[in-house]
Amino acid sequence: MNVYDSARMADVLAPLGYRLVDAPDGADMVILNTCHIREKAAEKVYSELGRIKALKRAKAESGGSMVVAVAGCVAQAEGEAMTERAPVVDLVVGPHTYHRLPELLARAERRRAAGDGRGRGIIDIDFPSDAKFDHLPAPTHTQGVSTFISVQEGCDKFCTFCVVPYTRGAEYSRPVGQIVAEAERAVAAGSVEITLLGQNVNAYHGIETKSGETWGLGRLIRHLAEIAGVARIRYTTSHPRDMDEELIAAHRDEARLMPFLHLPVQSGSDRILAAMNRQHGAGDYRRLVDRLRAARSDLALSSDFIVGFPGESDADFQATLSLVRDVGYAQAFSFKYSVRPGTPASMMEDQVPDAVKEDRLAQLQALLRAQQAAFNRDQRGRTLPVLFTGPGRHAGQLVGRSPYLQPVHAIAPARLIGTVVEVAIESVQPNSLAGRLAAPTPAANDERVVA
Ligand code: SAH
Ligand code: SF4
């Protein structure tokens, strides 16, 4: 989502004459778009600001000036504390107000011109009642072959470990029309893959203005799949509780919906899931996976896990390992529980010692790595549709993505970038696959191949 938000910030600033550059050195403005989900992510911001301070000084010494802004959820959570701890910061802007960047910049500029306000940054971390999406200009920065579109933001679930409901705020779904317009624009600019984003994307319930109906994610996906030129649709991140019939049916019926689903479970222990306020048990999750696989037999799964949640016993952790063995994942993210100030879990007794967390994480990751390696090995000898996204590491090579998001390398002409082509997988590296084009390639003037 931060990739999407960053592109939208660039859209907002473009009319002021700003354009994106590759590196912060010498830039007129640097925006750090930040994540607050775990302590490590948040701490990185301050160390990065140290580096930017030197760049800002160098720019001033050469007679110029650099505006330093911090955006995203660290900005939202820290607010004024941010400029106190890091006076290099001129602007603090939350995820709900970045459409106001031009106005905030003008205020910062006025302060600077008046010689006032060293260490007194401009802060805007409101939760406005109207959605930023209604104020953002049409996207002008294209994301390439594959485009992220935010369809839902925020969360009302309040898992006890998580900061999202506090930083991203209450659940909000964008109206259908806005999303369709954004998808059509992305396709017109060359995108063939659309990834629908939300902290709780399958809680989506957007208004379709013409009919006045409320659409769920399944309905939205079926509609977007009808846009000519859309070859692939994905969505992330979903919550097991919001996986409704219509969405499961979309997995069965809609070939363009990729058979790869990120479905976080966090833990395999019912006791821990209850303490996390996940509102589902391990059995519910197993049954859901069975229903999804019955709908789409080639569906591969990815997940998120937290080890060392307060009170997690060895038996609880074993239940997580057992769930992983039963489900079998193609890929997964796993984290040590990180205390987030203000969340209910941060105040729970029985915090798990770091050494125990380390040990559990290592065990879990070894199992997940082995499953991922086995999943990748299984692709050898198969033919997979690959969406080529750009040049590969070696001359003459392109890189693309399989339906399961594995990077795939193959010798192929550059004109195949942005098309889906069948590739016979010949070898498997730890993090990628390699193969050769399986079918005759389309002529240069062919528009696009849709697998
Ligand atoms: N809405 C999604 C998750 C969004 S947060 C869901 O409900 O599944 C992304 C991931 O960060 C979570 O799935 C979780 O595994 C991890 N995470 C969130 N808070 C965390 C914390 N305090 N410590 C460790 N990991 C955390
Ligand atoms: Fe955080 Fe996801 Fe739980 Fe919402 S559902 S509180 S985003 S982990």
Side-chain angles (χ1 to χ4, degrees):
M1 188 167 282
N2 273 7
V3 172
Y4 174 85
D5 285 339
S6 299
R8 301 312 309 268
M9 287 184 222
D11 293 333
V12 169
L13 292 170
L16 276 67
Y18 286 94
R19 64 186 170 78
L20 286 170
V21 288
D22 294 333
D25 314 58
D28 297 308
M29 178 170 190
V30 175
I31 307 179
L32 287 185
N33 197 10
T34 62
C35 176
H36 200 240
I37 198 80
R38 284 171 295 277
E39 192 180 2
K40 223 162 141 187
E43 277 305 311
K44 262 195 211 157
V45 178
Y46 286 102
S47 59
E48 193 65 15
L49 281 171
R51 207 168 66 87
I52 286 164
K53 193 173 158 186
L55 298 180
K56 186 173 179 171
R57 195 179 306 124
K59 178 96 180 180
E61 278 162 9
S62 68
S65 70
M66 177 188 279
V67 177
V68 177
V70 179
C73 291
V74 176
Q76 187 68 36
E78 302 261 299
E80 225 166 294
M82 182 120 236
T83 48
E84 276 157 26
R85 184 165 161 192
V88 64
V89 176
D90 302 296
L91 262 177
V92 177
V93 60
H96 311 280
T97 46
Y98 62 71
H99 57 286
R100 298 179 185 157
L101 270 169
E103 176 191 328
L104 300 173
L105 262 173
R107 272 167 56 197
E109 180 52 35
R110 276 199 300 275
R111 254 190 206 182
R112 202 180 59 84
D116 165 30
R118 266 188 67 82
R120 282 183 52 223
I122 308 268
I123 321 278
D124 188 349
I125 52 169
D126 280 0
F127 284 98
S129 55
D130 48 346
K132 67 169 175 259
F133 295 105
D134 297 336
H135 300 281
L136 290 169
T140 46
H141 290 86
T142 55
Q143 297 178 40
V145 166
S146 180
T147 294
F148 290 135
I149 301 181
S150 274
V151 302
Q152 181 280 339
E153 241 189 297
C155 180
D156 295 338
K157 294 213 164 48
F158 291 91
C159 298
T160 54
F161 53 81
C162 184
V163 290
V164 168
Y166 311 98
T167 54
R168 286 274 173 177
E171 212 179 277
Y172 169 78
S173 295
R174 294 178 73 188
V176 171
Q178 265 186 17
I179 298 163
V180 171
E182 216 168 298
E184 285 174 343
R185 216 172 287 115
V187 170
S191 265
V192 287
E193 180 175 74
I194 303 286
T195 302
L196 306 177
L197 300 178
Q199 274 85 29
N200 244 303
V201 70
N202 58 343
Y204 178 79
H205 57 281
I207 288 284
E208 204 282 317
T209 329
K210 274 187 227 128
S211 62
E213 290 171 356
T214 300
W215 287 17
L217 191 66
R219 180 96 190 259
L220 179 68
I221 287 171
R222 279 196 281 132
H223 187 75
L224 293 174
E226 283 166 17
I227 298 176
V230 171
R232 291 182 163 189
I233 299 180
R234 303 178 184 276
Y235 62 94
T236 200
T237 293
S238 34
H239 191 288
R241 284 263 314 201
D242 294 320
M243 212 70 216
D244 64 13
E245 274 308 324
E246 199 178 25
L247 187 51
I248 296 175
H251 278 283
R252 183 190 61 216
D253 302 332
E254 190 41 74
R256 286 157 208 241
L257 180 56
M258 288 295 97
F260 183 61
L261 175 61
H262 184 62
L263 192 62
V265 64
Q266 317 298 354
S267 168
S269 154
D270 285 339
R271 208 174 64 82
I272 295 298
L273 287 169
M276 286 176 164
N277 189 31
R278 288 292 289 181
Q279 302 166 43
H280 63 79
D284 301 321
Y285 185 86
R286 283 183 165 87
R287 281 187 290 279
L288 177 58
V289 168
D290 289 345
R291 281 167 62 210
L292 282 158
R293 283 182 167 150
R296 177 100 200 216
S297 58
D298 60 346
L299 187 84
L301 285 161
S302 151
S303 195
D304 290 344
F305 297 90
I306 295 177
V307 299
F309 183 83
E312 186 187 69
S313 67
D314 203 46
D316 293 320
F317 176 63
Q318 292 304 326
T320 299
L321 293 180
S322 138
L323 180 123
V324 171
R325 281 189 208 102
D326 292 349
V327 172
Y329 289 97
Q331 192 263 336
F333 302 100
S334 44
F335 315 101
K336 288 193 286 184
Y337 166 69
S338 169
V339 176
R340 307 313 290 126
T343 58
S346 69
M347 288 166 265
M348 288 179 187
E349 287 166 11
D350 284 349
Q351 296 286 331
V352 173
D354 196 57
V356 176
K357 289 186 198 170
E358 281 287 350
D359 179 56
R360 289 181 185 163
L361 188 66
Q363 287 185 55
L364 175 61
Q365 291 190 337
L367 175 59
L368 290 168
R369 255 199 316 274
Q371 290 193 342
Q372 180 170 8
F375 180 79
N376 288 347
R377 265 197 318 275
D378 281 351
Q379 311 303 319
R380 192 162 43 210
R382 291 183 59 190
T383 297
L384 294 176
V386 172
L387 169 57
F388 283 119
T389 52
R393 270 190 300 265
H394 305 297
Q397 217 187 33
L398 295 185
V399 66
R401 294 281 180 165
S402 77
Y404 309 114
L405 279 181
Q406 298 146 303
V408 181
H409 298 270
I411 301 288
R415 66 185 157 79
L416 293 186
I417 293 172
T419 65
V420 179
V421 179
E422 296 289 330
V423 175
I425 304 302
E426 294 175 321
S427 67
V428 175
Q429 280 99 43
N431 298 312
S432 65
L433 312 175
R436 62 177 167 74
L437 300 189
T441 60
N445 58 358
D446 272 8
E447 268 287 88
R448 226 159 247 156
V449 189
V450 176

